Amino acid sequence: MKPTSLILAGAFGAATLLSAAEKLTLTVARDDAGARPGEVVNVPWSEIGPRLSGLVFDQVDVRDAAGALVPSQVTAFRHVHKGPQVYDELIFQHDFAAGEKSAGFSVEKRAHPRAPLPSRVAARYVPERFDDFAWENDRMAHRAYGPGLELPSATKDQMTSSGIDFWSKRVDYLVVDGWYHKGHDGLHTDTGEGLDMYDVGTYRGLGGTGIWDGQELHVSRNYHAWKIFANGPIHADFELDYEPWDAGNVWETGNGVMVSEAKRVTVDAGSNLDSYASTFLFRPARGSDGELTVAIGLTRHAKKAKVSVSHDEATRRISLWEEFKDPVDGNLGTAVLLDPGATFAGFAETANDVLILARVKTGETLRYYAGGGWDKAGQFKTAPEWEAYLADFAARRRSPLHVTVTATP
């Protein structure tokens, strides 16, 4: 029988029923020609599972054209208590060399479950530190503040902030668990792995959101609920929920609006920018255009560092390069980029935050990318190197991959 193929534009497409096969061939192609290290390939499980008879999620091997095993991951975003589990995606990565337009892979069944691969990403709830939620990959680490930090029991640490914190790490292994055991003072000391030198306070930090009324930023309290959908070895996926907050009088025809946010974050190995998908719910005022202006921010540390600010309307991004006065802290690049599908609405600033703006309707998901690069980690030594990385990242988002699935029954 002749092989059958399915082309998935941007790694997604409608399912086509095919006969079961013993092996699948994936061809991953692209339109651009520059180097794309660590490119993430997402293939819907609906295009994999039905084609390999009896396939089990932990008995899947992905191999490159030379036959070498490629680290991969199968996601299951929903737990099924009774009945067959439902899986969502097969995920792996490939380093496209400059000029390499396509790459071939095979997907095969294993006879037995595969031993867990060393993880390059992690996300977890941290009850031992006032309900923090922390996540990291092999390049950077972050945390968001939970409800425990708002309680009187947090004593002098008590704080309300929906900003995103950043931990500067100089190693490619996971450090979050170990660093929480260091305690406050230990976190702020670099013993060879890096340190927590980023001051977010009540500001936006690195990618925190709020509602912009044209003059003032209105922000939520700490996250109040969390869910983890995937957690390694190469991809983590979780959600933080923020209860409704007062966004002020954002419409001329209204007396204010209450807004809630569900912030879904995906973390991929090898990337200095995480992917965010924030969904905002609110009741539009009668007579308004039904939209709100969301602000995504970067905190600048003008008292501690020499700060260079960059706005790029063409790629719809903001970025900072901060040269800290304390040599222990080094230099730090941070950035927020809007997804090509977002409705860009300009730039703004507060006393401490640089903001990029986007318009949303209720229930609409705003997609953006946020992250940072520390010079002592070795990836970016100068501001031009950081800006070049961001320009390349934006170009890659505008040129999605094309995946062809071929099965031979």
Side-chain angles (χ1 to χ4, degrees), residues 167-181:
W167 285 359
S168 302
K169 53 186 285 189
R170 61 164 88 226
V171 293
D172 60 6
Y173 54 81
L174 303 181
V175 301
V176 162
D177 287 350
W179 284 21
Y180 270 110
H181 286 297

Side-chain angles (χ1 to χ4, degrees), residues 213-287:
D213 67 5
Q215 296 182 329
E216 188 177 356
L217 185 63
H218 303 270
V219 300
S220 69
R221 301 179 68 88
N222 300 15
Y223 85 83
H224 79 99
W226 58 272
K227 307 181 191 75
I228 295 177
F229 302 102
N231 206 0
I234 58 175
H235 175 89
D237 187 335
F238 63 90
E239 181 179 285
L240 302 176
D241 294 328
Y242 294 84
E243 291 184 320
W245 73 94
D246 187 348
N249 185 13
V250 294
W251 293 303
E252 293 180 359
T253 54
N255 295 318
V257 60
M258 299 297 290
V259 183
S260 66
E261 178 187 6
K263 186 191 301 290
R264 188 156 178 172
V265 185
T266 59
V267 185
D268 289 309
S271 179
N272 284 81
L273 297 169
D274 295 331
S275 174
Y276 289 75
S278 284
T279 304
F280 298 87
L281 296 178
F282 53 90
R283 179 176 292 179
R286 186 174 299 175

Side-chain angles (χ1 to χ4, degrees), residues 108-151:
E108 306 168 6
K109 293 186 295 183
R110 292 175 54 90
H112 304 286
R114 183 184 61 199
L117 299 170
S119 191
R120 298 167 61 197
V121 300
R124 80 170 179 97
Y125 168 58
V126 189
E128 64 268 33
R129 221 302 296 200
F130 305 118
D131 299 332
D132 280 0
F133 193 95
W135 64 99
E136 65 178 312
N137 66 4
D138 47 358
R139 292 198 166 199
M140 56 183 182
H142 300 278
R143 66 175 167 179
Y145 299 126
L149 195 62
E150 295 187 289
L151 301 177

Side-chain angles (χ1 to χ4, degrees), residues 338-377:
L338 292 183
D339 185 80
T343 304
F344 173 63
F347 306 103
E349 292 188 3
T350 66
N352 294 282
D353 291 323
V354 179
L355 308 171
I356 189 167
L357 309 177
R359 298 284 284 173
V360 299
K361 297 181 175 65
T362 185
E364 184 177 10
T365 298
L366 171 62
R367 301 181 187 279
Y368 63 97
Y369 308 91
W374 191 39
D375 68 334
K376 292 190 175 184

